[in-house]
Amino acid sequence: QVHLVESGGGLVQAGGSLRLSCAASGLTFSTFSSYAMGWFRQAPGKEREFVAAISRRGGNTYYPNSVKGRFTISRDNAKNTVYLQMSSLRPEDTAVYYCAAGATVGEYRTPTFVNDYNYWGQGTQVTVSS
C-alpha cells in the first residue's frame, strides 16, 4: 500500500507562487520509479480536475492548457517525492490539490484520468486571493 502525503499548500495573493510536495511511503514491494505521478485539484462543487503528470523516470510531463506555462511538475525518485511548482497563481486556481500514483501505466506515459491512478493523498488546500 502506497501512502502519499501532500504539503506546501496555503494562502497566496494572485500572481504569487507556491511549491507543493508529495512524499510517498509504504513502498514495500515496489519503488517510487514504478509509478507515474500526477496532480489533480478539486474546487467546491466541481469535479476533480487534472493539473499535471510526470512519467515514471521524469522524462515526460503533461499539462492542460489551464496551467501550462505556469505550473511545473518534477520528481526526485531518490527522495520518493513529487513536486508541483505553481507560479502566476490566479484566484481560479483555488482548490484542494491532490497527488496521485499510477502503477498500471507504461514507462513513458503521463496519465490524465482519475481512473489511471491507484493511490491518492489526502489533499492540501491552496487559496489564491485577488
Side-chain angles (χ1 to χ4, degrees):
Q1 185 76 10
V2 178
H3 186 54
L4 302 173
V5 178
E6 302 95 336
S7 61
L11 174 64
V12 64
Q13 288 189 334
S17 299
L18 279 176
R19 189 176 84 151
L20 306 183
S21 299
C22 172
S25 61
L27 297 162
T28 304
F29 300 105
S30 61
T31 62
F32 188 62
S33 61
S34 300
Y35 299 90
M37 298 298 296
W39 287 95
F40 290 73
R41 66 187 181 188
Q42 190 165 17
K46 295 188 176 181
E47 293 187 352
R48 195 162 293 192
E49 175 190 17
F50 169 71
V51 173
I54 189 166
S55 58
R56 292 180 179 181
R57 298 185 186 276
N60 294 331
T61 58
Y62 187 76
Y63 309 90
N65 288 337
S66 58
V67 307
K68 191 177 296 183
R70 300 189 299 121
F71 290 12
T72 302
I73 188 171
S74 61
R75 66 189 296 163
D76 185 338
N77 285 347
K79 295 183 178 179
N80 293 349
T81 302
V82 64
Y83 306 96
L84 185 68
Q85 178 68 48
M86 305 184 294
S87 60
S88 301
L89 283 163
R90 305 166 180 169
E92 53 264 39
D93 294 319
T94 296
V96 177
Y97 282 71
Y98 299 89
C99 73
T104 57
V105 297
E107 182 176 352
Y108 303 104
R109 282 195 59 199
T110 51
T112 63
F113 296 102
V114 168
N115 290 341
D116 288 329
Y117 292 89
N118 309 96
Y119 302 102
W120 293 82
Q122 83 290 346
T124 186
Q125 176 70 47
V126 172
T127 303
V128 184
S129 63
S130 56

